[in-house]
Every structure is written in structure tokens, then in C-alpha cells.
Amino acid sequence: MSRTPSRRSLLRGLTVVGAAVIGFDPATRSWAAEGTQPDTGADAALATVPRLDGTLVMDEASLAAASEDYGHMVHHRPVAVLRPGSASDVVAMIRFCNDHDLPVAPRGQGHQTFGQAQVQDGLVIETATLAEIGPLCPQSSTVTVGAGAKWSDVARVTLAHGLTPPVLTDYIELSVGGTLSVGGIGGQAHRYGVQVDNVAELRVVTGAGELVRCSPARRSDLFHAVLAGLGQCAVIVEATLRLVRAPERVRHYLLTYHDLETFVEDQRLLVEEDRFAYVGGQISADAGGAFRVHTLEAVAYGPPVGPAPDDAALLRGLRHSGVEQADLPYFDFLDRLAPLVASLKEAGFWTYAHPWLNLILPGDRAAALSAPVLDALTPAELGPGVIQLYPMRRDRLTTPLFRAPDDPLPYLFDVLPATPPDDSAAVDRRLAANRAAYEAAAAAGGTQYPVGSIPFSREDWQTQFGEAWPRLAEAKWRYDPRQLLTPGQGIF
């Protein structure tokens, strides 16, 4: 872009603690604000920044926030943060970054745990300002939303029309663009696949700064390189999502088990017979501190998408030792973690380190691979964290870059500890344990679900993507030729 506006009009909304930004100094790799440029005539050498609809900021609070994430372990500091007012802002700034060799990372709600959306000495694009929801098309059962929209807000809008996204993560305050970049797993995945399997169309800005609309029928190579592509080829700015009819109420079951194999086998039975719309599972410690309390979470959708739940039929043949059940409005079920999250924040646990382990295990090895991890874990190491184990169906997982074992029923296995942020030794132990667990899983054909904290090399990423690696590498060179996008993933 070539513009020659006056100095004061160079950049609408571009501020640093109230001072107008007048450009970028390639020599010092820093932004220059009015009143801070050198007195040596270097003003002429400044690269002017494009006019924006949103804001570009570099105040201390914004830069510090962008060098943090939910993991609180990695801290890469950018030189500026873009809060776009439009997709055109993303285009303009990615082109600017190409001209000046500045790395770029998109950031949604900052819920990554290992620096994946951070960038050292580059630009962070906060997509939260791209949060428009609509239009919703009842005829095609789709809704178009901005990448920064939260799934909770999308669900509220679609439910007003009797529709819902088919798969929702258990924590629904995540951004659409963020989960579509990694996959988006929920307990409905055995029916509908993961969130990336339910996207009709994307609008993205490539690493070269091109605004592109893509779908399975239009620029399909880019479409399939972006979904679960970890931000390597383009920044999602908008997504058109498929919807399904929503129930008004659900019946929520919590079934207790004290044997891991039985727990896993009953989950497998429920998924194979498709008895429930949602199948999940958590593991917690018993009174002696051993992780031997297994809770199978199952949800039956009622009218208008299903009949009134029949307890006897739904629970037939299961070998649980206890059951709790409750009837809930559908959105209350989706938002059931809200009280827990509020209590964690109030107690200060939200600011703890979160060295998470997130794996997808072959179904026939799910118990064998998870048992040693559980046996080695202590309640003190987990802290106020969560352990999850539940199955998906491989034939519903259709997105090429969402990597899962070649098994009919792969299992998600999450160990999500919360560790005091000043206990670096405990964090290091968890990271080492995560790496060991990954190596055992990978040797059996398992994969990483890449939202957690597993030390990974470039060779590991090639193993992770397997047969899809050449496609991703080709798309990276085609759509991000200067290799600027999302370096925090450590893939290229």
C-alpha cells in the first residue's frame, strides 16, 4: 500500500499511551510515536503505517497481556498489538509485516498453554474485535460469524432460532477462530466429528496478505490447510458454520465407575450404539489419593430433536456403581462449567501455570496408555485441575490436518493440572512427564491434540502430521512464503 497522508492522519486510532503512532523504524525494529522519533532527521526513514479501522497499540499493559497466555509459562513479547476493526485491517497489517519481515500471530481468547499464539518482536492480532454474529440462514442451517466471536455467544444467537452448533467444547468461552485452528473437541464428536468438520466456508487472510474466501469447493487446498492448521497459512477472520436443530432440554447423567477398563468399555458401547448425543468422562482421585474414580458423563437430547429420555433403555447393560441425573435446559448444560470457572478465578487458580497434557489415543490402547500416567500422578500435582478420557468415532473425523489415530474409536486423554506459578520445578516435572506420555502414545499410533504443553521438535511435528505433512508444507510455502505466521507453534 502506498499512501502519503499528513503525519497526524497517518493512522487513525493508532496509539501508544495517547500518542499517535507515526510509523515503523526498520533500523531499530520499533514503532515510532509522535514526540518520540529521533531528532536526527530519521523521521524521513520511517515506514508509514496504513490507515486502519481499528487500533494498533503498544502500551505496556497491552504488550504484557499479549506475552501471556493461559499456560503462564512462556512469555514472548511482541512490539505491537492490532485490534482490527475489519478484515481489511488484517490485510493491511499482514502486508506491512511482509514488507518489514515482522512475524505475526493471531490470538483469540488467549487460552493456549505453551506460547502458541505469542510472537517475539512481532505483531499480535487480537481477533476479539471481529466478533459479529450473522447472518443466520435457517434454510441452509448455517451462521456466519467473526473469528473473535465466542462459542457461548454463537450458541445464544442460534438457539433463538432453534438451532445449535453440533459440537461445542466443554468450556464455551473460547473463540471460533481459535478452536477452528486446532480442531475443537467436544463430547458430541462421536456423532458429528469435531468443530472443524462442521465448517461450510471460511474467509481468511493469507500470510501474503490476501483476503480469500475458501470452502470445500473453492480454494479447497487453502480451506483444508487452515482448518486445524495451527495458524500456519492464514488468519481466520470469518467462518460459516453448519448448524443442527437444538433440543429445548436434556437429561444429564453422571455414572460412577471404580475400574478403568470397565469405564472405557462402557463408553465404547454407548458410542457404538449411539445411545447418547454427548459422551464424556472424567477421572478423579479416591480418598487414598489414587486416580480410580471414573465418571462417565452422558447426555440425552429431548424434544424436538429426540424423544423423552428413557432411563432404562439408555442405561441398559452398563456396569456403573452409582448414577446421578438431572434435567436441564440445553444452554444450561452447555454452560455448566461457568460456576466452576468463576470459583477458580475467585480463588486465583486462573493465574496458575497450566502444563497440560492433551493426547488422542488409539481406542484399543486407551486404558493401557492412560493407566501409567494416572498411576504416576498425585492429587497435589493435579491441583484444582481436571482429567478427561472419552471416545470419538474415527469415521466422523474428516478434516485432513486434524490428526487422530487410525482406530475406529480414538480417545481424547487430557491431564489438565494447575500448578503454582512460582513452582518452576513442579512445572518442569510436568513438562517432562508430558513428553514421556506423548512418546509412549506416539509409539502406539497416538497423536497430540495441540492445545497443551508438550515439548515438540520440528521432527515431532512431521511425525504428528504424518501423511498430511507434505500438503501442509506445500500450503505454507504457497500462502505464507515469508514464513511469518504463528511461529510460536514451532512447526517450520
Side-chain angles (χ1 to χ4, degrees), residues 85-109:
S86 64
S88 297
D89 285 358
V90 181
V91 170
M93 286 309 301
I94 287 182
R95 290 181 180 179
F96 186 90
C97 290
N98 269 274
D99 290 341
H100 301 286
D101 198 29
L102 287 166
V104 179
R107 173 188 172 100
Q109 290 296 309

Side-chain angles (χ1 to χ4, degrees), residues 171-213:
Y171 180 55
I172 58 175
E173 301 304 321
L174 305 176
S175 71
V176 169
T179 64
L180 294 186
S181 295
V182 295
I185 301 179
Q188 307 93 338
H190 68 282
R191 280 193 174 176
Y192 296 105
V194 293
Q195 288 179 328
V196 289
D197 298 314
N198 294 279
V199 179
E201 186 175 80
L202 294 171
R203 199 156 64 116
V204 304
V205 180
T206 69
E210 298 298 322
L211 181 62
V212 179
R213 195 176 296 275

